[in-house]
Amino acid sequence: MISTLRRGLLVLLATLPLVANAVAAQSAHDLVQDTTNRMLADLSANKEKYKQDPQDFYTALNTIVGPVVDAEGISKSIMTVKYSRKATPAQMKTFEENFKRGLFQFYGNALLEYNNQGITVDAPKDESGDRTSVGMTVKGNNGAIYPVQYTLEKINGEWKLRNVIINGINIGKLFRDQFADAMQRNGNDLDKTINGWAGEVAKAKQSAEQNEKPAQ
């Protein structure tokens, strides 16, 4: 009996890399679909709790969405080469964490207002290269339709999120412009801008909301 269990354990350990490769081989379309389904299921089950303590929701988003986001690549893109090459590894790591926290706050507050009006992931596109996009439509409370487009890149065999365009608003560019503006206001003080990023995201969110118009 013990021998049988030992052999079974060895087989399990031997197949773990295959399972990991199977997950890594997930298509960009399926990655977006599965992540969206998990996020909405968690929100549906815990919405009232999250409304009382949004920080719990941000933590849940980090657990569900965090692993599919290329935080390092996006952070460098937001900083641009001009500033990222001057940043120390510690500064980059801090900004990556602040960026993810700000991103989840940016989306989290809006998601807490979502009442299952309808989210549909578009049909798959060509994924033969190392970069692709996945479209989505979100129905608002008033019935208006908001198009969303995710840009993903294949990194070490896995698709990772690199940018989001919501109803024509390029979030990557919005954050990039916000970072450059903050650096000017802060006298090119990188630490001050990195540590104050939450406030910059709030400004970016306000700017996006002012320019937001439904597709129809």
Side-chain angles (χ1 to χ4, degrees), residues 134-155:
V134 177
M136 175 187 291
T137 54
V138 179
K139 184 178 290 186
N141 286 324
N142 58 357
I145 300 298
Y146 297 88
V148 179
Q149 179 175 294
Y150 296 98
T151 300
L152 299 97
E153 287 192 6
K154 188 173 288 185
I155 301 173

Side-chain angles (χ1 to χ4, degrees), residues 90 97 125 132 183:
E97 293 303 317
K125 296 182 179 179
T132 190
M183 285 295 288

Side-chain angles (χ1 to χ4, degrees), residues 24-44:
Q26 187 177 35
S27 72
H29 176 272
D30 289 348
L31 180 67
V32 170
Q33 182 73 74
D34 291 349
T35 303
T36 300
N37 290 345
R38 290 177 58 207
M39 180 182 67
L40 293 180
D42 180 79
L43 177 61
S44 177

